[in-house]
């Protein structure tokens, strides 16, 4: 039973890590683009609504990516 719990825990950690990784990378991309626009035009336009929109898009893509990784791990595909 302990081996099963460890496997489920590692799959949950993999899923959450995929989601957080995608969200953080999307936020970094948005911040770097806004900094470049700020340096070129002089107006910094990163709103709370934009951040929430980026987080929701990141959650959707991260959930899909995490689900694919978990399914690949469960099916014991090579490379996962």
């Amino acid at each position: 039973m302990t081996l099963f719990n460890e496997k489920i825990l590692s799959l949950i950690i993999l899923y959450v890590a995929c989601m957080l990784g995608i969200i953080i990378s999307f936020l970094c991309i948005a911040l770097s683009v806004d900094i470049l626009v700020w340096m070129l035009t002089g107006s910094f336009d990163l709103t709370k609504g934009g951040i929430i929109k980026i987080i929701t898009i990141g959650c959707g893509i991260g959930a899909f990516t995490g689900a694919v990784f978990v399914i690949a791990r469960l099916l014991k595909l090579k490379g996962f």
Side-chain angles (χ1 to χ4, degrees), residues 19-32:
M19 282 190 61
L20 290 177
I22 297 290
I23 291 170
I24 290 170
S25 66
F26 276 27
L27 286 173
C28 288
I29 290 168
L31 184 64
S32 63

Side-chain angles (χ1 to χ4, degrees), residues 1-8:
M1 192 68 173
T2 307
L3 183 63
F4 179 74
N5 289 340
E6 288 176 4
K7 188 173 183 178
I8 294 297

Side-chain angles (χ1 to χ4, degrees), residues 9-48:
L9 182 63
S10 70
L11 291 176
I12 290 172
I13 290 172
L14 176 67
Y15 182 79
V16 170
C18 285
M19 282 190 61
L20 290 177
I22 297 290
I23 291 170
I24 290 170
S25 66
F26 276 27
L27 286 173
C28 288
I29 290 168
L31 184 64
S32 63
V33 168
D34 279 341
I35 288 174
L36 284 173
V37 169
W38 174 54
M39 292 168 94
L40 292 172
T41 63
S43 66
F44 190 74
D45 190 33
L46 187 63
T47 62
K48 188 189 296 185

Side-chain angles (χ1 to χ4, degrees), residues 18-20 22-24 26 52-64:
C18 285
M19 282 190 61
L20 290 177
I22 297 290
I23 291 170
I24 290 170
F26 276 27
I52 291 173
K53 187 176 181 182
I54 292 168
I55 290 174
T56 56
I57 291 170
C59 281
I61 295 173
F64 178 74

